[in-house]
């Protein structure tokens, strides 16, 4: 395979060889420096130990030989002995004897005894000797002090120069550095050779990968080796062959799919034209529905106002006749007048509900918010509707939880909702109970109205809040109520920021739950 002409690829190849070379050189250099440091450290320790032994040997021999002369205070004999030691030991730079009174008895210093040398190395009581490394005019000196008769007769001091040891260390360091440089050069040559051996197959794989990246799946990596890199190249070539086959198959599939999509696009274009025509029809229908809805609302509002005046007259006159304010009536006339009065009241309630529903839909009915004592409204409603339930033999319950407090709402709307809920519970429950529970949940006041009535089918739970819908009543003429109470109640609850939900099960009664925010409608925004 011919090399790929790519400056970036060439830089990567050089970078690979450079990294291999750098790693090998770094390892060789690290090993060489470590060896030099170790050898120098071991040699220095050995030389220092040899110097210490030599110093102790010379000092102890000098101390033993000079003991008699010191005891006899024979200064001439001591000087003669020191001259012999200085002549025989080239590393000794000075010798001196300190008597028991800590006075220098004799020394090899001809130009005066150095200041501070006397106190620089004083053996502790009981020590057989004391070693100190001192920096003197003669250079770095190992000072050895040997007590005479345990220090009772004085101290013999000898100074051995460490200059020769330093020279030996320096020469050894130079030899080691030369060896290290030779090893580094050898390592560079070895690294370059190894780098070419390792990097060449990898460069071949890199060139092949670059050609594949450029879109040529016909190239193959030619790596004639049986090692792991050769196996990698074989696997890479197999992958390229599989990719080429897959590409050819994909091109065939894409061509077929493109043809299919072209046909589908033609069908979609025709469908879109039909949909556009349908959308225009729907838009026109929606406009007509909106106009019809607006006309319906306007008609309901107008008719509601027009019907309330004669209805109030019918209800008022029938009430006057029932009270016999216009004269006595017979029992049958009273019964008929009662039916007229009841029907009028029922019709007026329907008109009022229709009027409220129309106002809510047009946003003309706004709440009058104030601080409302919900418990007082519940008690008043129970007091009003309680006798109706007791007449049917129902048990009327009221439970007030702790921590209930006033809420910001509309008292008239709250009372209207509760009248609808409790009134429906009494109306549709023949035996058992009607229970009202008042409690606080977090930032809400909850009023739950439960009954032991027939219950509501699951499919009708949400439909009970629709206008004119009455559960279980196929014939509206036979259904009690107007079918608007719950619809109006939910609309009023939503305007107050409250929620009105129902839970029920056939044969086990129903529970309507009104949840009122303490802070008013804005608290639910």
């Amino acid at each position: 395979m011919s090399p790929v002409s790519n400056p970036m690829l060439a830089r990567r190849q050089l970078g690979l060889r450079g990294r291999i070379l750098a790693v090998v050189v770094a390892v060789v250099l690290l090993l060489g420096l470590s060896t030099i440091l170790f050898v120098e450290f071991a040699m220095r320790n050995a030389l220092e130990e040899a110097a210490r032994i030599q110093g102790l040997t010379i000092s102890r021999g000098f101390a033993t030989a000079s003991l008699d002369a010191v005891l006899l205070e024979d200064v001439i004999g001591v000087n003669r002995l020191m001259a012999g030691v200085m002549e025989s030991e080239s590393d000794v730079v000075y010798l001196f004897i300190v008597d028991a009174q800590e006075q220098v008895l004799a020394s090899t210093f001809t130009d005066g005894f150095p200041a501070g040398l006397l106190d620089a190395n004083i053996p502790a009581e009981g020590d057989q000797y004391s070693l100190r490394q001192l920096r003197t005019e003669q250079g770095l000196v190992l000072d050895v002090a040997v007590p005479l008769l345990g220090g009772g007769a004085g101290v013999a001091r000898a100074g051995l120069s460490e200059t020769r040891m330093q020279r030996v260390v320096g020469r050894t360091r130079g030899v080691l550095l030369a060896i290290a440089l030779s090893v580094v050069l050898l390592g560079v040559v070895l690294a370059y050779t190894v780098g070419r051996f390792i990097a060449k197959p990898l460069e071949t794989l890199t060139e092949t990968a670059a050609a594949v990246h450029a879109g040529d799946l016909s190239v193959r990596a030619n790596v004639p080796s049986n090692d792991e890199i050769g196996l990698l190249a074989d696997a890479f070539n197999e992958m390229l062959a599989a990719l080429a086959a897959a590409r050819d198959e994909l091109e065939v599939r894409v061509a077929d799919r493109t043809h299919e999509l072209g046909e589908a696009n033609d069908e979609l274009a025709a469908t879109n034209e039909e949909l556009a025509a349908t959308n225009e029809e729907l838009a026109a229908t929606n406009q007509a529905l909106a106009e019809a809805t607006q006309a319906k609302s306007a008609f309901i509002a107008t008719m509601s106002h027009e019907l309330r005046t004669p209805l109030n007259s019918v209800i008022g006159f029938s009430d006057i006749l029932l009270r016999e304010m216009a004269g006595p009536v017979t029992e049958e006339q009273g019964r008929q007048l009662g039916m007229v009065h009841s029907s009028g009241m029922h019709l007026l309630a329907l008109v009022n509900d229709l009027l409220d529903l129309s106002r809510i839909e047009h946003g003309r009915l706004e709440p009058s918010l104030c601080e409302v004592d919900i418990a007082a409204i519940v008690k008043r409603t129970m007091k009003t509707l309680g006798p109706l339930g007791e007449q049917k033999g129902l048990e009327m319950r009221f439970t007030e939880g702790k921590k209930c407090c006033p809420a910001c709402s509309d008292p008239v709307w709250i009372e209207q909702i509760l009248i609808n809920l409790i009134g429906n519970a009494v109306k549709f429950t023949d035996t058992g109970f009607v229970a009202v529970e008042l409690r606080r949940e977090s930032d809400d006041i909850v009023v739950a109205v439960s009954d032991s009535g027939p219950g509501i089918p699951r499919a009708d739970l949400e439909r009970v809040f629709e206008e004119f819908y009455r559960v279980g009543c196929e014939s509206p003429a036979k259904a009690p109520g107007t079918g608007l109470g719950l619809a109006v109640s939910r609309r009023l609850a939503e305007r107050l920021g409250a929620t009105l939900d129902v839970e029920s099960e056939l044969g086990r009664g129903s529970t309507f739950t009104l949840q009122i925010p303490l802070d008013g409608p804005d608290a639910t925004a």
Side-chain angles (χ1 to χ4, degrees):
M1 181 187 66
S2 60
V4 179
S5 178
N6 190 330
M8 185 175 294
L9 179 59
R11 288 197 297 271
R12 290 180 179 175
Q13 293 172 353
L14 292 176
L16 177 61
R17 295 183 184 179
R19 286 195 293 272
I20 295 175
L21 182 62
V23 170
V24 175
V25 170
V27 171
V28 171
L29 187 59
L30 180 61
L31 290 176
L33 291 177
S34 301
T35 304
I36 291 174
L37 293 175
F38 176 75
V39 171
E40 182 177 350
F41 176 75
M43 184 186 65
R44 183 181 292 276
N45 286 342
L47 290 174
E48 288 179 354
E49 181 65 19
R52 187 180 69 83
I53 294 173
Q54 182 185 7
L56 282 175
T57 303
I58 293 173
S59 299
R60 284 174 174 172
F62 170 62
T64 302
S66 63
L67 179 59
D68 292 338
V70 171
L71 293 175
L72 296 174
E73 297 182 355
D74 183 5
V75 177
I76 296 174
V78 173
N79 286 330
R80 186 182 301 111
L81 180 61
M82 288 191 297
V85 174
M86 293 289 289
E87 184 178 354
S88 61
E89 299 291 343
S90 59
D91 291 337
V92 178
V93 294
Y94 63 80
L95 294 168
F96 64 92
I97 298 292
V98 179
D99 60 16
Q101 287 74 34
E102 298 184 357
Q103 298 296 321
V104 177
L105 181 63
S107 73
T108 59
F109 294 102
T110 58
D111 296 334
F113 194 83
L117 182 60
L118 184 62
D119 298 330
N121 187 12
I122 300 176
E125 184 177 355
D127 289 347
Q128 295 181 359
Y129 62 88
S130 176
L131 298 174
R132 293 288 187 276
Q133 193 177 55
L134 306 178
R135 189 172 298 279
T136 66
E137 295 179 356
Q138 291 79 17
L140 199 61
V141 174
L142 178 64
D143 188 274
V144 184
V146 178
L148 302 174
L149 297 179
V155 178
R157 298 271 295 276
L160 277 74
S161 175
E162 294 189 351
T163 303
R164 187 177 66 174
M165 183 185 71
Q166 296 295 331
R167 286 198 298 268
V168 173
V169 171
R171 287 195 300 270
T172 305
R173 185 183 296 118
V175 173
L176 291 175
L177 286 175
I179 296 173
L181 288 175
S182 301
V183 173
V184 170
L185 290 176
L186 180 61
V188 169
V189 175
L190 179 64
Y192 182 77
T193 305
V194 173
R196 282 187 59 83
F197 178 75
I198 295 176
K200 186 60 178 177
L202 295 178
E203 290 173 0
T204 302
L205 286 174
T206 305
E207 293 171 357
T208 306
V212 173
H213 179 71
D216 186 5
L217 295 180
S218 64
V219 297
R220 297 294 182 268
N222 184 16
V223 179
S225 62
N226 296 323
D227 55 7
E228 287 79 0
I229 298 179
L231 295 176
L232 176 62
D234 293 340
F236 190 63
N237 291 333
E238 292 177 2
M239 181 187 69
L240 289 177
L243 284 175
R247 181 193 60 184
D248 296 339
E249 183 180 356
L250 182 61
E251 288 177 351
V252 174
R253 291 186 178 181
V254 168
D256 295 340
R257 187 58 177 166
T258 302
H259 179 69
E260 294 175 0
L261 288 175
E263 295 178 351
N265 285 334
D266 295 338
E267 295 177 0
L268 285 174
T271 304
N272 287 335
E273 293 178 359
E274 295 177 0
L275 288 175
T278 304
N279 286 335
E280 292 178 359
E281 294 178 1
L282 287 175
T285 304
N286 288 334
Q287 179 66 26
L289 286 175
E291 294 175 355
T293 300
Q294 185 175 3
K296 177 207 70 173
S297 299
F299 173 76
I300 290 176
T302 302
M303 289 304 298
S304 297
H305 283 292
E306 294 296 330
L307 290 173
R308 289 176 70 179
T309 300
L311 278 176
N312 286 328
S313 299
V314 170
I315 294 171
F317 287 127
S318 62
D319 185 61
I320 290 173
L321 292 175
L322 283 173
R323 295 181 183 181
E324 297 183 350
M325 296 175 63
V329 296
T330 64
E331 180 179 352
E332 179 61 22
Q333 290 174 336
R335 188 176 66 83
Q336 296 295 333
L337 287 172
M339 294 175 60
V340 171
H341 185 272
S342 177
S343 298
M345 292 296 294
H346 177 75
L347 187 56
L348 181 61
L350 176 60
V351 171
N352 287 333
D353 286 343
L354 286 172
L355 187 59
D356 288 342
L357 193 62
S358 176
R359 288 176 178 175
I360 294 172
E361 287 179 350
H362 285 78
R364 296 174 182 172
L365 196 62
E366 295 295 335
S368 300
L369 300 178
C370 62
E371 189 176 272
V372 179
D373 187 352
I374 306 297
I377 294 178
V378 175
K379 293 176 182 177
R380 185 167 61 249
T381 306
M382 288 290 287
K383 184 177 181 181
T384 301
L385 299 177
L388 297 178
E390 293 171 356
Q391 288 178 2
K392 298 179 66 175
L394 300 177
E395 180 184 359
M396 303 296 292
R397 307 174 187 167
F398 173 60
T399 305
E400 182 178 358
K402 298 179 180 180
K403 298 183 179 181
C404 290
C405 58
C408 179
S409 193
D410 187 318
V412 176
W413 289 13
I414 294 294
E415 186 169 2
Q416 183 176 351
I417 294 171
L418 292 178
I419 288 174
N420 287 334
L421 297 180
I422 299 174
N424 281 349
V426 172
K427 185 187 304 180
F428 292 101
T429 303
D430 295 329
T431 59
F433 66 89
V434 173
V436 181
E437 180 186 3
L438 179 66
R439 63 180 184 273
R440 178 174 177 176
E441 291 183 0
S442 185
D443 295 331
D444 299 325
I445 295 295
V446 177
V447 182
V449 180
S450 304
D451 61 59
S452 58
I456 303 172
R458 184 179 299 274
D460 293 333
L461 285 180
E462 281 302 317
R463 296 195 64 189
V464 296
F465 296 106
E466 296 178 2
E467 296 89 344
F468 303 107
Y469 184 80
R470 279 153 288 187
V471 180
C473 297
E474 298 180 356
S475 175
K478 298 180 180 179
T482 64
L484 289 174
L486 290 178
V488 172
S489 296
R490 172 166 275 193
R491 300 284 182 88
L492 293 177
E494 290 173 351
R495 294 296 301 277
L496 292 174
T499 59
L500 178 59
D501 298 308
V502 60
E503 294 180 0
S504 182
E505 187 176 348
L506 282 176
R508 296 190 177 183
S510 306
T511 299
F512 286 82
T513 303
L514 176 65
Q515 193 163 344
I516 309 166
L518 288 174
D519 297 332
D522 292 338
T524 62

